[in-house]
Amino acid sequence: AQKITQTQPGMFVQEKEAVTLDCTYDTSDPSYGLFWYKQPSSGEMIFLIYQGSYDQQNATEGRYSLNFQKARKSANLVISASQLGDSAMYFCAMREGPAAGGGNKLTFGTGTQLKVEL
Amino acid sequence: NAGVTQTPKFRVLKTGQSMTLLCAQDMNHEYMYWYRQDPGMGLRLIHYSVGEGTTAKGEVPDGYNVSRLKKQNFLLGLESAAPSQTSVYFCASSYRANTEAFFGQGTRLTVV
């Protein structure tokens, strides 16, 4: 079964608007972490934001925020004031702890290709 | 500050040949990972390690072997390459479970 699900293969957003990229996850481990990464066309993986399962507040990093809804097992990425340079592939990832047999493995979703338009 | 370095960056193999991909990190990280990236499939975990001398299977381990004899190095081996192993391979490392993983630049492998 998929541990991380990203249902939007592609998204378009107008420059300066906000956009939400969806991510749902599945784990039985009470201790886990959620990550978002950006992969521009050049291919490198860039870390954006992290949310721990016990964190009380939603994580924010500059224009990035993570809408963490634990009961719904969702961890959506919100990008505010989109810029042309935000055009890239975005990956959601989860690290489970040993309790779920995950042994701290870090698994990724299939990604969402974001295109920012003028 | 090198971070995570993958060697080589590009390689073309013939079916049946073997090769080893090297991942080296200079950040004293405990955790190291090998992924393959294929179009439409995201990053799939091949093998990973939670410390020197330890390895574990990921989602797609068949056809690959790994070793972590030194903390800073994580080797990925293909014993008998197949065209299905044509992919971009990424290595990553992280200090702890709740810290971000740092990625290498990737290795583009083509098996013909």
Side-chain angles (χ1 to χ4, degrees), chain A residues 17-104:
Chain A
E17 291 187 350
V19 63
T20 298
L21 306 183
D22 295 341
C23 174
T24 57
Y25 59 92
D26 182 28
T27 181
S28 57
D29 193 333
S31 177
Y32 55 90
L34 297 155
F35 302 80
W36 277 92
Y37 284 84
K38 172 184 178 181
Q39 187 180 43
S41 58
S42 51
E44 71 267 31
M45 295 289 288
I46 302 167
F47 166 73
L48 297 177
I49 197 166
Y50 167 79
Q51 179 85 42
S53 59
Y54 293 119
D55 293 342
Q56 295 295 313
Q57 293 189 321
N58 287 346
T60 60
E61 289 286 349
R63 294 187 298 111
Y64 304 108
S65 61
L66 201 151
N67 184 3
F68 182 46
Q69 297 188 43
K70 196 169 182 177
R72 298 179 63 181
K73 293 189 175 180
S74 74
N76 299 339
L77 177 70
V78 180
I79 305 174
S80 62
S82 297
Q83 302 171 357
L84 295 177
D86 293 334
S87 293
M89 181 72 85
Y90 289 80
F91 290 102
C92 180
M94 176 175 66
R95 178 181 282 122
E96 297 174 277
N104 289 309

Side-chain angles (χ1 to χ4, degrees), chain B residues 91-109:
Chain B
C91 174
S93 72
S94 65
Y95 180 59
R96 294 195 305 261
N98 61 346
T99 58
E100 73 268 30
F102 293 81
F103 280 78
Q105 291 297 97
T107 296
R108 185 172 294 276
L109 175 65

Side-chain angles (χ1 to χ4, degrees), chain B residues 48-61:
Chain B
Y48 65 106
S49 168
V50 298
E52 180 180 319
T54 74
T55 62
K57 294 181 180 179
E59 304 165 271
V60 288

Side-chain angles (χ1 to χ4, degrees), chain B residues 31-71:
Chain B
Y31 303 101
M32 296 188 76
Y33 306 86
W34 274 109
Y35 295 90
R36 59 177 291 172
Q37 184 176 21
D38 304 292
M41 306 196 74
L43 279 79
R44 292 182 292 168
L45 182 64
I46 305 171
H47 287 281
Y48 65 106
S49 168
V50 298
E52 180 180 319
T54 74
T55 62
K57 294 181 180 179
E59 304 165 271
V60 288
D62 294 343
Y64 305 95
N65 56 75
V66 288
S67 65
R68 185 132 180 241
L69 299 179
K70 293 183 179 180
K71 187 177 184 178

